[in-house]
Amino acid sequence: LMNAMEMRRKEKSFTQEALAKRIGVAPSTYSQYASGARLIPLEKSKLIAAALECSVEEIFLPAKFTIRDLRAKNLKTIEK
């Protein structure tokens, strides 16, 4: 299962090596971020989001919270 960060990276046509260079880490470090083997520091997550032209929440917020939030927004729209 590919995580949101990796899906977005591929959508933007970045290689792991190119994105690693852009955020100032070794390709092996980025690979560990992508696989979940290493935690991503907040500052690096902000740089990743900026490079991928999205918010930190879009790529790092767990899907279950995103789905719940979308359902809540849809219910509010329906209730209006």
Side-chain angles (χ1 to χ4, degrees), residues 13-61:
S13 301
F14 279 109
T15 62
Q16 284 191 348
E17 293 79 11
L19 189 51
K21 183 176 182 178
R22 193 148 179 183
I23 66 167
V25 299
S28 59
T29 300
Y30 180 85
S31 179
Q32 291 173 340
Y33 292 163
S35 70
R38 186 176 191 157
L39 294 176
I40 305 171
L42 180 59
E43 286 307 312
K44 293 300 181 189
S45 67
K46 290 177 182 178
L47 292 173
I48 291 167
L52 298 177
E53 299 176 336
C54 62
S55 69
V56 171
E57 293 81 7
E58 284 180 81
I59 54 178
F60 297 109
L61 187 67

Side-chain angles (χ1 to χ4, degrees), residues 59-72:
I59 54 178
F60 297 109
L61 187 67
K64 65 181 178 183
F65 294 116
T66 304
I67 292 168
R68 183 186 68 205
D69 290 345
L70 288 174
R71 286 183 183 150

